[in-house]
C-alpha cells in the first residue's frame, strides 16, 4: 500500500508551458518535501512545507493539509527543468527523522 | 562546497564479495541516512542514525550493516553482496530535532551492480 501517490507518472510538455505535478498522501504528516533528480544525478531538495505555499524562482509548491494533497508548479517551463520530481513526507507517527517517498514524476520539456 | 560526499560513485561486485560505501557530511548534522533507489519504487530507508553512536534499522536492512564512526561519517557495509542488492544508494543528512523539521541534503549516489 503506497502512502504517497504522485500523478502523473510521466509528463511531456513544450517549453514555456505551465506544469503541475500532484502528490496525495494518506497519513498525518509533519512536513511535505519536493525533491528533484536529474538523470544519473543526485537528489536536490526543492521545498519543505507544512502549510500554505512556497515559491522559489519559477517553482511554486502548495499544500492542503485537510485534503492531504500537495502540488508542484513550474511556470515558463524550460528544457533544463527535465528531471524526476519526487514527493516525500515525514510522518507524525515516526517523528521528524524519516522520509516516505513517492515513486516520482518524470518530466520532459521539449524545446 | 558544503554537503554530503559519497564514495565510490560506481562499483561492480561479484556475488559474495564485500564492500563499504562511505558517506561524510560537513554541515554538523545530527541525523544521517542510507537509502536505496530501485526502478519503479520510491527510495527506501536501509538504516539511519539519529545521532553519533546510535543506529536503527529502516525498511530494508537485511544484508547490510552500518557504522556511525563520528558525527561526520556514516558508512554502509555489504558483507556478502547479492544480485538483489544491485541498486543506486543514497546517503542523506538532516538537522532533525524533536518537534521541528529541517530539510535534507543528499549525496550524489553510488551505482552498485552485483553480478
Amino acid at each position: 500500500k503506497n502512502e504517497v501517490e504522485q500523478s502523473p507518472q510521466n509528463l511531456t510538455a513544450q517549453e514555456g508551458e505551465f506544469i503541475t505535478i500532484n502528490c496525495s498522501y494518506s497519513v498525518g504528516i509533519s512536513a511535505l518535501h519536493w525533491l528533484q533528480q536529474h538523470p544519473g544525478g543526485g537528489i536536490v531538495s526543492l521545498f519543505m512545507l507544512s502549510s500554505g505555499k512556497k515559491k522559489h524562482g519559477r517553482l511554486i509548491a502548495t499544500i492542503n493539509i485537510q485534503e492531504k494533497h500537495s502540488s508542484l508548479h513550474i511556470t515558463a517551463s524550460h528544457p533544463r527543468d527535465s528531471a524526476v520530481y519526487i514527493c516525500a513526507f515525514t510522518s507524525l507517527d515516526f517523528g521528524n527523522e524519516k522520509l516516505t517517498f513517492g515513486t516520482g514524476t518524470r518530466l520532459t520539456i521539449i524545446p | 562546497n558544503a554537503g554530503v560526499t559519497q564514495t565510490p560513485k560506481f562499483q561492480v561486485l561479484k556475488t559474495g564479495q564485500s564492500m563499504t560505501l562511505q558517506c561524510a557530511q560537513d554541515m554538523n548534522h545530527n541525523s544521517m541516512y542510507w537509502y536505496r533507489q530501485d526502478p519503479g519504487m520510491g527510495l527506501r530507508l536501509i538504516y539511519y542514525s539519529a545521532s553519533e553512536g546510535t543506529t536503527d534499522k529502516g525498511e530494508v536492512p537485511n544484508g547490510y550493516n552500518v557504522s556511525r564512526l563520528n558525527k561526520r561519517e556514516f558508512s554502509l557495509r555489504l558483507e556478502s553482496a547479492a544480485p538483489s542488492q544491485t541498486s543506486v544508494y543514497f546517503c542523506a543528512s538532516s538537522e532533525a530535532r524533536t518537534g521541528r523539521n529541517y530539510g535534507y541534503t543528499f549525496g550524489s549516489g553510488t551505482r552498485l551492480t552485483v553480478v
Side-chain angles (χ1 to χ4, degrees):
Chain A
K1 166 176 167 294
N2 287 339
E3 293 179 307
V4 55
E5 299 279 355
Q6 288 186 237
S7 63
Q9 288 187 313
N10 294 283
L11 178 58
T12 300
Q14 292 291 132
E15 182 175 356
E17 286 189 36
F18 181 82
I19 303 298
T20 296
I21 299 170
N22 296 300
C23 174
S24 296
Y25 53 92
S26 57
V27 299
I29 68 169
S30 53
L32 191 289
H33 303 255
W34 283 102
L35 310 163
Q36 180 192 56
Q37 184 176 24
H38 280 103
I43 297 170
V44 175
S45 180
L46 297 175
F47 293 104
M48 180 180 67
L49 64 167
S50 54
S51 65
K53 173 180 168 178
K54 287 191 176 180
K55 184 175 188 292
H56 180 71
R58 295 179 295 104
L59 302 178
I60 303 165
T62 64
I63 188 168
N64 184 318
I65 296 294
Q66 287 74 27
E67 295 185 4
K68 292 186 167 61
H69 182 269
S70 175
S71 293
L72 176 69
H73 305 286
I74 304 174
T75 62
S77 59
H78 190 276
R80 65 175 174 267
D81 297 326
S82 297
V84 175
Y85 292 85
I86 302 170
C87 169
F89 66 80
T90 45
S91 66
L92 295 171
D93 287 342
F94 295 114
N96 301 319
E97 296 187 347
K98 291 180 283 186
L99 288 169
T100 300
F101 294 83
T103 55
T105 294
R106 184 175 300 277
L107 174 66
T108 304
I109 303 298
I110 299 170
Chain B
N1 291 336
V4 177
T5 303
Q6 276 184 248
T7 55
K9 291 193 184 304
F10 301 93
Q11 184 71 50
V12 178
L13 290 179
K14 293 182 179 178
T15 298
Q17 286 186 318
S18 62
M19 79 161 294
T20 299
L21 281 65
Q22 307 286 353
C23 177
Q25 53 91 8
D26 57 6
M27 295 167 288
N28 204 36
H29 284 171
N30 284 315
S31 299
M32 297 185 74
Y33 315 82
W34 277 105
Y35 295 94
R36 60 178 288 172
Q37 184 179 40
D38 300 295
M41 304 182 74
L43 279 83
R44 292 180 293 169
L45 181 66
I46 305 170
Y47 270 93
Y48 72 101
S49 170
S51 62
E52 183 180 351
T54 68
T55 61
D56 283 288
K57 294 179 180 179
E59 184 183 352
V60 288
N62 291 345
Y64 305 96
N65 286 302
V66 290
S67 296
R68 183 73 182 267
L69 305 169
N70 47 55
K71 193 170 186 180
R72 290 187 65 246
E73 298 172 290
F74 187 39
S75 61
L76 178 71
R77 182 160 179 84
L78 287 71
E79 290 291 350
S80 179
S84 61
Q85 293 177 306
T86 293
S87 188
V88 182
Y89 292 84
F90 287 95
C91 179
S93 70
S94 74
E95 186 50 61
R97 296 192 187 279
T98 300
R100 301 193 62 179
N101 282 283
Y102 292 81
Y104 291 76
T105 302
F106 289 82
S108 57
T110 297
R111 188 172 296 273
L112 174 67
T113 302
V114 183
V115 298

